[in-house]
Coordinates of all heavy atoms in Angstrom, one line a residue:
M16 N -36.5 -70.1 39.0 CA -37.8 -70.1 39.6 C -37.5 -70.2 41.2 O -36.8 -70.9 41.6 CB -38.6 -71.3 39.2 CG -40.0 -71.4 39.7 SD -41.0 -72.6 38.8 CE -41.0 -72.0 37.2
K17 N -38.3 -69.2 41.8 CA -38.2 -69.2 43.3 C -39.5 -69.5 43.9 O -40.6 -69.3 43.4 CB -37.9 -67.7 43.7 CG -36.5 -67.2 43.1 CD -36.3 -65.8 43.5 CE -35.1 -65.2 42.9 NZ -34.9 -63.8 43.4
V18 N -39.5 -70.1 45.0 CA -40.7 -70.5 45.9 C -40.5 -69.8 47.2 O -39.4 -69.8 47.9 CB -40.8 -71.9 46.1 CG1 -42.0 -72.2 47.0 CG2 -41.1 -72.7 44.7
T19 N -41.5 -69.1 47.6 CA -41.5 -68.4 48.9 C -42.8 -69.0 49.7 O -43.9 -69.0 49.2 CB -41.7 -66.9 48.9 OG1 -40.6 -66.4 48.1 CG2 -41.7 -66.2 50.2
I20 N -42.4 -69.4 51.0 CA -43.5 -70.0 51.8 C -43.7 -68.9 53.0 O -42.8 -68.7 53.8 CB -43.1 -71.3 52.4 CG1 -42.8 -72.3 51.3 CG2 -44.2 -71.8 53.4 CD1 -42.2 -73.6 51.7
H21 N -44.8 -68.2 52.9 CA -45.2 -67.3 54.0 C -45.9 -68.1 55.1 O -46.8 -68.9 54.8 CB -46.1 -66.3 53.5 CG -45.6 -65.5 52.3 ND1 -44.9 -64.3 52.5 CD2 -45.5 -65.7 50.9 CE1 -44.5 -63.8 51.3 NE2 -44.9 -64.7 50.3
Y22 N -45.5 -67.9 56.3 CA -46.1 -68.6 57.4 C -46.3 -67.7 58.7 O -45.6 -66.8 58.9 CB -45.2 -69.8 57.9 CG -43.9 -69.4 58.5 CD1 -43.8 -69.2 59.8 CD2 -42.9 -69.0 57.7 CE1 -42.6 -68.8 60.4 CE2 -41.7 -68.6 58.2 CZ -41.5 -68.5 59.5 OH -40.3 -68.1 60.0
C23 N -47.4 -68.0 59.4 CA -47.7 -67.2 60.6 C -46.9 -67.6 61.7 O -46.9 -68.7 62.2 CB -49.2 -67.4 60.9 SG -49.7 -66.5 62.4
T24 N -46.1 -66.6 62.3 CA -45.2 -66.9 63.4 C -46.1 -67.1 64.7 O -45.8 -68.0 65.5 CB -44.2 -65.8 63.7 OG1 -44.9 -64.5 63.8 CG2 -43.3 -65.6 62.5
G25 N -47.2 -66.3 64.8 CA -48.0 -66.5 66.0 C -48.8 -67.8 66.1 O -49.1 -68.2 67.2
C26 N -48.9 -68.4 65.0 CA -49.6 -69.8 64.9 C -48.7 -70.9 65.0 O -48.9 -72.0 65.0 CB -50.3 -69.8 63.5 SG -51.6 -68.6 63.3
N27 N -47.3 -70.6 65.1 CA -46.2 -71.5 65.2 C -46.1 -72.5 64.0 O -45.9 -73.7 64.2 CB -46.4 -72.4 66.5 CG -46.2 -71.5 67.7 OD1 -45.3 -70.7 67.8 ND2 -47.0 -71.6 68.7
W28 N -46.2 -71.9 62.8 CA -46.2 -72.8 61.6 C -44.8 -72.8 61.0 O -44.7 -73.3 59.9 CB -47.2 -72.2 60.6 CG -48.6 -72.5 61.1 CD1 -49.1 -73.4 62.0 CD2 -49.8 -71.8 60.6 NE1 -50.4 -73.3 62.0 CE2 -50.9 -72.3 61.3 CE3 -50.0 -70.7 59.7 CZ2 -52.2 -71.9 61.1 CZ3 -51.3 -70.3 59.5 CH2 -52.4 -70.9 60.2
L29 N -43.8 -72.4 61.7 CA -42.5 -72.4 61.2 C -42.0 -73.9 60.8 O -41.5 -74.2 59.7 CB -41.4 -71.9 62.1 CG -40.0 -72.1 61.8 CD1 -39.6 -71.4 60.4 CD2 -39.1 -71.5 62.8
L30 N -42.3 -74.9 61.7 CA -41.9 -76.3 61.5 C -42.6 -76.8 60.2 O -42.0 -77.5 59.4 CB -42.1 -77.1 62.6 CG -41.2 -76.9 63.8 CD1 -41.7 -77.8 65.0 CD2 -39.8 -77.1 63.5
R31 N -43.9 -76.5 60.1 CA -44.6 -76.9 58.9 C -44.0 -76.3 57.5 O -43.8 -77.0 56.6 CB -46.1 -76.5 59.0 CG -47.0 -77.0 57.8 CD -48.4 -76.4 57.9 NE -49.0 -76.8 59.1 CZ -49.8 -77.9 59.3 NH1 -50.0 -78.7 58.2 NH2 -50.4 -78.2 60.4
A32 N -43.7 -74.9 57.7 CA -43.1 -74.3 56.5 C -41.8 -74.8 56.2 O -41.4 -75.1 55.0 CB -43.1 -72.8 56.8
G33 N -41.0 -75.1 57.2 CA -39.7 -75.7 56.9 C -39.8 -77.1 56.3 O -39.0 -77.5 55.5
W34 N -40.7 -77.8 56.8 CA -40.9 -79.2 56.2 C -41.2 -79.2 54.8 O -40.7 -79.9 53.9 CB -41.9 -80.0 57.0 CG -42.1 -81.4 56.5 CD1 -41.3 -82.4 56.5 CD2 -43.3 -81.8 55.7 NE1 -41.9 -83.5 55.8 CE2 -43.1 -83.2 55.4 CE3 -44.5 -81.2 55.4 CZ2 -44.0 -83.9 54.7 CZ3 -45.5 -82.0 54.7 CH2 -45.2 -83.3 54.3
Y35 N -42.2 -78.2 54.4 CA -42.5 -78.1 53.0 C -41.3 -77.7 52.2 O -41.0 -78.2 51.0 CB -43.6 -77.0 52.8 CG -45.1 -77.5 53.2 CD1 -45.8 -76.7 54.1 CD2 -45.6 -78.6 52.7 CE1 -47.1 -77.1 54.4 CE2 -46.9 -79.0 53.0 CZ -47.6 -78.2 53.9 OH -48.9 -78.6 54.2
A36 N -40.5 -76.8 52.7 CA -39.3 -76.3 52.0 C -38.3 -77.4 51.7 O -37.8 -77.6 50.7 CB -38.6 -75.2 52.7
Q37 N -38.1 -78.2 52.8 CA -37.3 -79.4 52.7 C -37.7 -80.4 51.7 O -37.0 -80.9 50.9 CB -37.2 -80.1 54.0 CG -36.4 -81.4 54.1 CD -36.4 -82.0 55.4 OE1 -36.5 -81.4 56.5 NE2 -36.3 -83.4 55.4
E38 N -39.0 -80.6 51.7 CA -39.6 -81.6 50.7 C -39.4 -81.0 49.3 O -39.1 -81.8 48.3 CB -41.1 -81.9 51.0 CG -41.2 -82.8 52.2 CD -40.9 -84.2 51.9 OE1 -41.2 -84.7 50.8 OE2 -40.3 -84.8 52.9
L39 N -39.7 -79.8 49.1 CA -39.5 -79.3 47.7 C -38.1 -79.3 47.3 O -37.7 -79.6 46.1 CB -40.1 -77.8 47.7 CG -41.6 -77.6 47.8 CD1 -41.9 -76.2 47.9 CD2 -42.3 -78.4 46.7
L40 N -37.1 -78.9 48.2 CA -35.7 -79.0 47.8 C -35.2 -80.4 47.5 O -34.5 -80.7 46.7 CB -34.8 -78.3 48.9 CG -35.0 -76.8 49.0 CD1 -34.4 -76.2 50.2 CD2 -34.4 -76.2 47.7
S41 N -35.8 -81.4 48.3 CA -35.4 -82.7 48.1 C -35.8 -83.3 46.8 O -35.2 -84.0 46.2 CB -35.9 -83.6 49.2 OG -35.4 -83.4 50.5
T42 N -37.0 -82.9 46.4 CA -37.6 -83.3 45.0 C -37.0 -82.6 43.9 O -36.7 -83.2 42.9 CB -39.1 -83.1 45.1 OG1 -39.6 -84.0 46.2 CG2 -39.7 -83.7 43.7
F43 N -36.9 -81.3 44.0 CA -36.6 -80.5 42.8 C -35.1 -80.0 42.8 O -34.6 -79.6 41.8 CB -37.5 -79.3 42.6 CG -38.9 -79.7 42.5 CD1 -39.8 -79.6 43.5 CD2 -39.4 -80.3 41.3 CE1 -41.2 -80.1 43.3 CE2 -40.7 -80.7 41.1 CZ -41.6 -80.6 42.1
G44 N -34.4 -80.0 44.0 CA -33.0 -79.7 44.0 C -32.6 -78.4 43.4 O -33.3 -77.4 43.6
E45 N -31.6 -78.5 42.5 CA -31.1 -77.3 41.8 C -32.0 -76.8 40.7 O -31.7 -75.8 40.1 CB -29.7 -77.6 41.3 CG -28.7 -77.8 42.5 CD -27.3 -78.0 42.0 OE1 -27.1 -77.8 40.8 OE2 -26.5 -78.4 42.8
S46 N -33.1 -77.5 40.4 CA -34.1 -76.9 39.4 C -34.8 -75.7 40.0 O -35.3 -74.9 39.2 CB -35.1 -78.0 39.1 OG -34.6 -79.2 38.5
L47 N -34.8 -75.5 41.2 CA -35.3 -74.4 41.9 C -34.1 -73.5 42.3 O -33.2 -73.9 42.8 CB -36.1 -74.7 43.2 CG -37.4 -75.4 43.0 CD1 -37.9 -75.8 44.4 CD2 -38.4 -74.6 42.3
E48 N -34.3 -72.2 42.0 CA -33.3 -71.2 42.2 C -33.3 -70.9 43.8 O -32.1 -70.8 44.4 CB -33.6 -69.9 41.6 CG -32.6 -68.9 41.7 CD -33.0 -67.6 41.0 OE1 -33.7 -67.7 40.0 OE2 -32.5 -66.5 41.4
Q49 N -34.4 -70.9 44.4 CA -34.5 -70.7 45.9 C -35.8 -71.1 46.4 O -36.8 -71.1 45.8 CB -34.4 -69.1 46.0 CG -34.4 -68.6 47.4 CD -34.3 -67.1 47.4 OE1 -35.4 -66.4 47.0 NE2 -33.3 -66.5 47.7
V50 N -35.8 -71.5 47.7 CA -37.0 -71.8 48.5 C -36.8 -70.9 49.8 O -35.8 -71.2 50.5 CB -37.2 -73.3 48.8 CG1 -38.5 -73.4 49.7 CG2 -37.4 -74.0 47.5
A51 N -37.7 -70.0 49.9 CA -37.5 -69.1 51.1 C -38.6 -69.2 52.0 O -39.8 -69.4 51.7 CB -37.4 -67.6 50.5
L52 N -38.3 -68.9 53.3 CA -39.3 -68.9 54.4 C -39.5 -67.4 54.7 O -38.6 -66.7 55.0 CB -38.9 -69.7 55.6 CG -38.7 -71.1 55.3 CD1 -38.1 -71.8 56.7 CD2 -39.9 -71.8 54.8
A53 N -40.7 -67.0 54.7 CA -41.1 -65.6 55.1 C -42.0 -65.4 56.2 O -43.2 -65.8 56.1 CB -41.7 -64.9 53.8
P54 N -41.6 -65.0 57.4 CA -42.4 -64.9 58.5 C -43.5 -63.9 58.2 O -43.4 -62.9 57.5 CB -41.5 -64.3 59.6 CG -40.2 -64.5 59.1 CD -40.2 -64.6 57.6
S55 N -44.7 -64.2 58.8 CA -45.9 -63.4 58.6 C -46.8 -63.5 59.8 O -46.2 -63.9 60.9 CB -46.7 -63.9 57.4 OG -47.7 -63.0 57.0
H56 N -48.1 -63.0 59.8 CA -48.9 -63.0 60.9 C -50.3 -63.2 60.5 O -50.6 -63.3 59.3 CB -48.7 -61.7 61.8 CG -49.0 -60.5 60.9 ND1 -48.1 -60.0 60.0 CD2 -50.1 -59.7 60.9 CE1 -48.7 -58.9 59.5 NE2 -49.9 -58.7 59.9
G57 N -51.2 -63.1 61.5 CA -52.6 -63.2 61.2 C -53.1 -64.5 60.5 O -54.1 -64.4 59.8
G58 N -52.6 -65.6 60.8 CA -53.0 -66.8 60.2 C -52.7 -67.0 58.7 O -53.3 -67.8 58.1
H59 N -51.7 -66.2 58.3 CA -51.3 -66.3 56.9 C -50.4 -67.5 56.6 O -49.4 -67.7 57.2 CB -50.6 -64.9 56.5 CG -50.2 -64.8 55.1 ND1 -49.1 -64.2 54.7 CD2 -50.9 -65.2 53.9 CE1 -49.0 -64.2 53.3 NE2 -50.1 -64.8 52.9
F60 N -50.8 -68.3 55.6 CA -50.0 -69.3 55.2 C -50.1 -69.4 53.6 O -51.3 -69.6 53.1 CB -50.3 -70.7 55.7 CG -49.4 -71.7 55.3 CD1 -48.2 -72.0 56.0 CD2 -49.6 -72.5 54.1 CE1 -47.3 -72.9 55.5 CE2 -48.7 -73.5 53.7 CZ -47.6 -73.7 54.4
E61 N -49.1 -69.2 52.8 CA -49.2 -69.1 51.4 C -47.9 -69.6 50.8 O -46.8 -69.2 51.2 CB -49.5 -67.6 51.0 CG -49.8 -67.4 49.5 CD -50.1 -66.0 49.2 OE1 -49.7 -65.0 50.0 OE2 -50.8 -65.8 48.2
V62 N -48.0 -70.3 49.7 CA -46.9 -70.7 49.0 C -46.9 -70.0 47.6 O -48.0 -70.2 46.9 CB -46.9 -72.2 48.7 CG1 -45.6 -72.6 47.9 CG2 -46.9 -73.0 50.1
V63 N -45.9 -69.2 47.3 CA -45.9 -68.3 46.1 C -44.7 -68.8 45.3 O -43.6 -69.1 45.7 CB -45.7 -66.9 46.5 CG1 -45.6 -66.0 45.3 CG2 -46.9 -66.4 47.3
I64 N -45.0 -68.9 43.9 CA -43.9 -69.2 42.9 C -43.7 -68.0 42.1 O -44.6 -67.3 41.7 CB -44.3 -70.5 42.2 CG1 -43.0 -71.0 41.5 CG2 -45.4 -70.2 41.2 CD1 -43.1 -72.5 41.1
E65 N -42.4 -67.7 41.9 CA -42.0 -66.6 41.0 C -41.2 -67.1 39.9 O -40.2 -67.7 40.1 CB -41.2 -65.6 41.9 CG -40.9 -64.3 41.1 CD -40.1 -63.3 41.9 OE1 -40.3 -63.3 43.1 OE2 -39.3 -62.6 41.3
A66 N -41.6 -66.7 38.7 CA -40.8 -67.1 37.5 C -40.9 -65.9 36.5 O -42.0 -65.4 36.3 CB -41.2 -68.4 36.9
D67 N -39.8 -65.6 35.9 CA -39.8 -64.6 34.9 C -40.5 -63.2 35.3 O -41.3 -62.6 34.6 CB -40.5 -65.0 33.6 CG -39.9 -66.3 33.0 OD1 -38.6 -66.4 33.1 OD2 -40.6 -67.2 32.6
G68 N -40.2 -62.9 36.6 CA -40.8 -61.7 37.1 C -42.3 -61.7 37.5 O -42.8 -60.6 37.9
E69 N -42.9 -62.8 37.3 CA -44.3 -62.9 37.7 C -44.4 -63.8 38.9 O -43.8 -64.9 39.0 CB -45.1 -63.4 36.5 CG -45.0 -62.6 35.2 CD -46.2 -62.3 34.5 OE1 -47.3 -62.9 34.9 OE2 -46.2 -61.5 33.6
S70 N -45.3 -63.5 39.8 CA -45.6 -64.3 41.0 C -47.0 -64.9 40.9 O -48.0 -64.3 40.3 CB -45.5 -63.4 42.2 OG -44.3 -62.9 42.4
E71 N -47.2 -66.1 41.4 CA -48.5 -66.8 41.5 C -48.6 -67.5 42.8 O -47.6 -68.2 43.3 CB -48.5 -67.8 40.4 CG -49.9 -68.6 40.4 CD -49.9 -69.7 39.3 OE1 -48.9 -69.7 38.5 OE2 -50.8 -70.4 39.2
A72 N -49.8 -67.4 43.4 CA -50.0 -68.1 44.7 C -50.3 -69.5 44.3 O -51.4 -69.8 43.8 CB -51.1 -67.5 45.4
L73 N -49.5 -70.5 44.6 CA -49.7 -71.9 44.4 C -50.8 -72.4 45.4 O -51.6 -73.3 45.1 CB -48.5 -72.7 44.4 CG -47.5 -72.6 43.3 CD1 -46.4 -73.5 43.5 CD2 -48.1 -72.8 42.0
W74 N -50.7 -71.9 46.6 CA -51.5 -72.4 47.7 C -51.7 -71.3 48.6 O -50.7 -70.6 49.1 CB -50.9 -73.6 48.4 CG -51.9 -74.3 49.3 CD1 -52.2 -74.0 50.6 CD2 -52.8 -75.3 49.0 NE1 -53.2 -74.8 51.1 CE2 -53.5 -75.6 50.1 CE3 -52.9 -76.1 47.9 CZ2 -54.5 -76.6 50.1 CZ3 -53.9 -77.1 47.9 CH2 -54.7 -77.4 49.0
E75 N -52.9 -71.1 49.1 CA -53.2 -70.1 50.1 C -54.2 -70.7 51.1 O -55.2 -71.3 50.6 CB -53.8 -68.8 49.5 CG -53.7 -67.6 50.3 CD -54.7 -67.5 51.5 OE1 -55.9 -67.8 51.3 OE2 -54.3 -67.2 52.5
R76 N -53.8 -70.8 52.3 CA -54.6 -71.6 53.3 C -56.1 -71.3 53.4 O -56.9 -72.2 53.3 CB -54.0 -71.4 54.7 CG -54.6 -72.2 55.8 CD -54.0 -71.9 57.2 NE -54.3 -70.6 57.6 CZ -55.5 -70.2 58.2 NH1 -56.4 -71.2 58.5 NH2 -55.7 -69.1 58.6
K77 N -56.4 -70.0 53.4 CA -57.8 -69.6 53.5 C -58.6 -69.9 52.2 O -59.7 -70.4 52.2 CB -58.0 -68.1 54.0 CG -57.5 -67.9 55.3 CD -57.7 -66.4 55.7 CE -57.0 -66.3 57.1 NZ -56.9 -64.9 57.5
R78 N -58.0 -69.6 51.1 CA -58.6 -69.7 49.8 C -58.8 -71.3 49.5 O -59.8 -71.7 48.9 CB -57.7 -69.1 48.6 CG -58.2 -69.3 47.3 CD -57.2 -68.9 46.2 NE -56.2 -70.0 46.2 CZ -55.0 -69.8 45.6 NH1 -54.7 -68.6 45.0 NH2 -54.1 -70.7 45.6
D79 N -57.7 -72.1 49.8 CA -57.7 -73.5 49.3 C -58.1 -74.4 50.5 O -58.1 -75.6 50.3 CB -56.3 -73.9 48.9 CG -55.9 -73.0 47.6 OD1 -56.8 -73.0 46.7 OD2 -54.9 -72.4 47.6
G80 N -58.6 -73.9 51.6 CA -59.1 -74.8 52.7 C -58.1 -75.6 53.4 O -58.2 -76.7 53.5
G81 N -57.2 -74.9 54.1 CA -56.2 -75.6 55.0 C -54.8 -75.7 54.4 O -54.5 -74.8 53.5
F82 N -54.1 -76.7 54.7 CA -52.8 -76.8 54.3 C -52.8 -77.9 53.2 O -53.5 -78.9 53.2 CB -51.9 -77.3 55.5 CG -51.8 -76.3 56.5 CD1 -52.5 -76.4 57.6 CD2 -50.9 -75.2 56.3 CE1 -52.4 -75.3 58.6 CE2 -50.8 -74.2 57.3 CZ -51.6 -74.3 58.5
P83 N -51.8 -77.8 52.2 CA -51.8 -78.8 51.2 C -51.1 -80.1 51.7 O -50.3 -80.1 52.5 CB -50.9 -78.1 50.1 CG -49.9 -77.3 50.9 CD -50.8 -76.7 52.1
E84 N -51.6 -81.2 51.0 CA -50.9 -82.4 51.1 C -49.5 -82.2 50.3 O -49.6 -81.5 49.3 CB -51.6 -83.6 50.6 CG -52.8 -84.0 51.4 CD -53.4 -85.3 51.0 OE1 -52.7 -86.2 50.6 OE2 -54.6 -85.4 51.1
I85 N -48.4 -82.8 50.8 CA -47.2 -82.5 50.1 C -47.2 -83.0 48.6 O -46.7 -82.4 47.8 CB -46.0 -83.2 50.9 CG1 -44.7 -82.6 50.3 CG2 -46.1 -84.6 50.8 CD1 -44.5 -81.1 50.4
K86 N -47.9 -84.1 48.3 CA -48.0 -84.5 46.9 C -48.7 -83.5 46.0 O -48.3 -83.3 44.9 CB -48.6 -85.9 46.8 CG -50.0 -86.0 47.2 CD -50.5 -87.5 47.1 CE -52.0 -87.5 47.5 NZ -52.6 -88.9 47.4
E87 N -49.7 -82.8 46.5 CA -50.4 -81.8 45.8 C -49.5 -80.6 45.6 O -49.5 -80.0 44.5 CB -51.7 -81.4 46.4 CG -52.5 -80.3 45.6 CD -52.8 -80.8 44.2 OE1 -53.0 -81.9 43.9 OE2 -53.0 -79.8 43.4
L88 N -48.8 -80.2 46.6 CA -47.9 -79.1 46.4 C -46.8 -79.4 45.5 O -46.5 -78.5 44.6 CB -47.3 -78.7 47.9 CG -46.4 -77.5 47.9 CD1 -47.1 -76.2 47.3 CD2 -45.9 -77.2 49.2
K89 N -46.2 -80.5 45.6 CA -45.2 -81.0 44.6 C -45.7 -81.0 43.2 O -45.0 -80.5 42.2 CB -44.6 -82.3 44.9 CG -43.7 -82.2 46.2 CD -43.1 -83.6 46.4 CE -42.2 -83.6 47.7 NZ -41.6 -84.8 47.9
R90 N -46.9 -81.5 42.9 CA -47.4 -81.4 41.6 C -47.6 -80.0 41.1 O -47.4 -79.7 39.9 CB -48.9 -82.1 41.6 CG -48.7 -83.6 41.7 CD -50.2 -84.2 41.6 NE -50.2 -85.6 41.8 CZ -50.9 -86.3 42.7 NH1 -51.8 -85.7 43.4 NH2 -50.8 -87.6 42.9
R91 N -48.1 -79.1 41.9 CA -48.3 -77.8 41.4 C -47.0 -77.0 41.2 O -46.9 -76.3 40.2 CB -49.1 -76.9 42.6 CG -50.5 -77.4 42.7 CD -51.3 -76.5 43.7 NE -52.6 -77.1 43.9 CZ -53.6 -76.3 44.4 NH1 -53.4 -75.1 44.7 NH2 -54.8 -76.9 44.5
V92 N -45.9 -77.4 41.9 CA -44.7 -76.8 41.6 C -44.1 -77.4 40.3 O -43.7 -76.7 39.5 CB -43.6 -77.0 42.7 CG1 -42.2 -76.7 42.3 CG2 -44.0 -76.2 43.9
R93 N -44.2 -78.8 40.1 CA -43.8 -79.4 38.9 C -44.5 -78.9 37.7 O -43.9 -78.7 36.7 CB -44.1 -80.9 39.1 CG -43.5 -81.8 38.0 CD -44.6 -82.0 36.8 NE -46.0 -82.3 37.3 CZ -46.4 -83.5 37.5 NH1 -45.7 -84.6 37.3 NH2 -47.7 -83.7 37.8
D94 N -45.9 -78.6 37.8 CA -46.6 -78.2 36.6 C -46.0 -76.8 36.1 O -46.3 -76.5 35.0 CB -48.1 -78.1 37.0 CG -48.7 -79.5 37.2 OD1 -48.0 -80.5 36.8 OD2 -49.9 -79.6 37.7
R95 N -45.5 -76.0 37.0 CA -45.0 -74.7 36.6 C -43.5 -74.8 36.2 O -43.1 -74.1 35.3 CB -45.1 -73.7 37.7 CG -46.5 -73.0 37.5 CD -47.3 -73.4 38.7 NE -48.7 -72.9 38.6 CZ -49.7 -73.7 38.9 NH1 -49.6 -75.0 39.1 NH2 -50.9 -73.2 38.9
L96 N -42.7 -75.7 36.9 CA -41.3 -75.8 36.7 C -41.0 -76.7 35.4 O -40.2 -76.2 34.6 CB -40.8 -76.4 37.9 CG -39.2 -76.6 38.0 CD1 -38.5 -75.3 37.9 CD2 -38.8 -77.4 39.3
D97 N -41.6 -77.8 35.3 CA -41.3 -78.8 34.3 C -42.5 -79.7 34.2 O -42.4 -80.9 34.7 CB -40.0 -79.5 34.6 CG -39.6 -80.5 33.5 OD1 -40.2 -80.5 32.5 OD2 -38.6 -81.2 33.8
P98 N -43.5 -79.3 33.4 CA -44.8 -80.2 33.3 C -44.5 -81.6 32.9 O -45.3 -82.5 33.2 CB -45.6 -79.4 32.3 CG -45.1 -78.0 32.3 CD -43.7 -78.2 32.6
Q99 N -43.5 -81.9 32.1 CA -43.2 -83.2 31.6 C -42.5 -84.2 32.7 O -42.4 -85.3 32.4 CB -42.3 -83.2 30.3 CG -42.9 -82.4 29.3 CD -44.3 -82.8 28.9 OE1 -44.5 -84.1 28.7 NE2 -45.3 -81.9 28.7
R100 N -42.0 -83.5 33.7 CA -41.3 -84.3 34.8 C -42.1 -85.4 35.4 O -43.3 -85.1 35.8 CB -40.7 -83.3 35.7 CG -39.8 -84.0 36.8 CD -39.4 -83.0 37.8 NE -38.5 -83.6 38.8 CZ -37.4 -83.1 39.3 NH1 -37.1 -82.0 39.0 NH2 -36.8 -83.8 40.3
D101 N -41.6 -86.5 35.6 CA -42.3 -87.6 36.2 C -41.9 -87.5 37.7 O -40.8 -87.5 38.1 CB -41.8 -89.0 35.6 CG -42.6 -90.1 36.3 OD1 -43.6 -89.9 37.0 OD2 -42.1 -91.3 36.1
L102 N -42.9 -87.5 38.5 CA -42.8 -87.4 40.0 C -42.9 -88.8 40.6 O -43.0 -89.0 41.8 CB -43.8 -86.6 40.7 CG -43.6 -85.0 40.4 CD1 -44.7 -84.2 41.1 CD2 -42.2 -84.5 40.9
G103 N -42.7 -89.9 39.8 CA -42.6 -91.3 40.3 C -44.0 -91.6 40.9 O -45.0 -91.4 40.4
H104 N -43.9 -92.1 42.1 CA -45.1 -92.7 42.8 C -46.1 -91.6 43.1 O -47.3 -91.9 43.3 CB -44.7 -93.4 44.2 CG -44.2 -92.5 45.3 ND1 -42.9 -92.0 45.2 CD2 -44.8 -91.9 46.3 CE1 -42.8 -91.1 46.3 NE2 -43.9 -91.1 46.9
L105 N -45.8 -90.3 43.2 CA -46.7 -89.2 43.3 C -47.6 -89.1 42.2 O -48.7 -88.6 42.3 CB -46.1 -87.9 43.6 CG -45.2 -87.8 44.9 CD1 -44.6 -86.4 45.1 CD2 -46.2 -88.0 46.1
D106 N -47.2 -89.5 41.0 CA -48.1 -89.4 39.8 C -48.9 -90.6 39.5 O -49.7 -90.6 38.6 CB -47.2 -89.2 38.6 CG -46.7 -87.7 38.4 OD1 -47.4 -86.8 38.9 OD2 -45.6 -87.5 37.8
R107 N -48.6 -91.7 40.3 CA -49.4 -92.9 40.1 C -50.7 -93.0 41.0 O -50.6 -92.5 42.1 CB -48.6 -94.1 40.3 CG -47.5 -94.2 39.2 CD -46.5 -95.3 39.6 NE -45.4 -95.4 38.7 CZ -44.4 -94.5 38.6 NH1 -44.5 -93.4 39.4 NH2 -43.4 -94.7 37.8
Q108 N -51.8 -93.4 40.4 CA -53.0 -93.6 41.2 C -52.9 -94.7 42.2 O -52.3 -95.8 41.8 CB -54.2 -93.7 40.2 CG -54.5 -92.6 39.4 CD -55.0 -91.4 40.1 OE1 -55.6 -91.5 41.2 NE2 -54.8 -90.3 39.6
T109 N -53.5 -94.5 43.3 CA -53.5 -95.7 44.2 C -54.8 -96.4 44.1 O -55.9 -95.7 43.9 CB -53.2 -95.2 45.7 OG1 -54.1 -94.2 46.1 CG2 -51.8 -94.7 45.9
P110 N -54.9 -97.7 44.2 CA -56.2 -98.4 44.0 C -57.2 -98.1 45.2 O -56.8 -97.7 46.2 CB -55.8 -99.8 44.1 CG -54.4 -100.0 44.5 CD -53.8 -98.6 44.5

């Protein structure tokens, strides 16, 4: 399974995209085949997951209203990668 993070270079979103990539790799490690950063333009920010030759946009800034919280992005990746996987404190409700 591959994840590609498209980010707008004109908006200076490289650091944000890199941080998301680092967080996904820290959590899922070798369960992910690849996390790639793809420069884009025009305010484009999108996280796409590819598995078995099919691609799906997990998050799109304009469609989903801004940038994802990391716990939500990790949940969406987990739900496609290994739905039974426990994400520890990310899966627990806070009071």
Side-chain angles (χ1 to χ4, degrees):
M16 185 168 293
K17 298 178 184 180
V18 173
T19 303
I20 302 171
H21 301 267
Y22 65 95
C23 177
T24 57
C26 302
N27 295 315
W28 291 338
L29 172 59
L30 289 177
R31 180 186 301 268
W34 178 70
Y35 283 129
Q37 176 184 329
E38 285 291 319
L39 292 176
L40 288 167
S41 293
T42 298
F43 299 106
E45 293 181 11
S46 297
L47 291 173
E48 182 179 337
Q49 178 183 73
V50 176
L52 299 178
S55 189
H56 61 280
H59 185 214
F60 186 89
E61 184 176 28
V62 180
V63 176
I64 194 161
E65 182 183 331
D67 303 322
E69 305 227 352
S70 295
E71 176 186 0
L73 290 182
W74 191 274
E75 203 282 318
R76 185 184 67 84
K77 292 178 184 173
R78 179 193 72 194
D79 296 309
F82 297 99
E84 289 190 35
I85 193 60
K86 64 182 179 181
E87 179 59 26
L88 184 58
K89 287 181 180 184
R90 283 185 188 130
R91 291 183 185 201
V92 169
R93 183 270 318 268
D94 290 349
R95 273 110 185 133
L96 182 65
D97 182 5
Q99 302 304 315
R100 183 180 180 143
D101 181 16
L102 290 177
H104 69 280
L105 294 178
D106 281 334
R107 291 177 188 66
Q108 295 291 336
T109 55

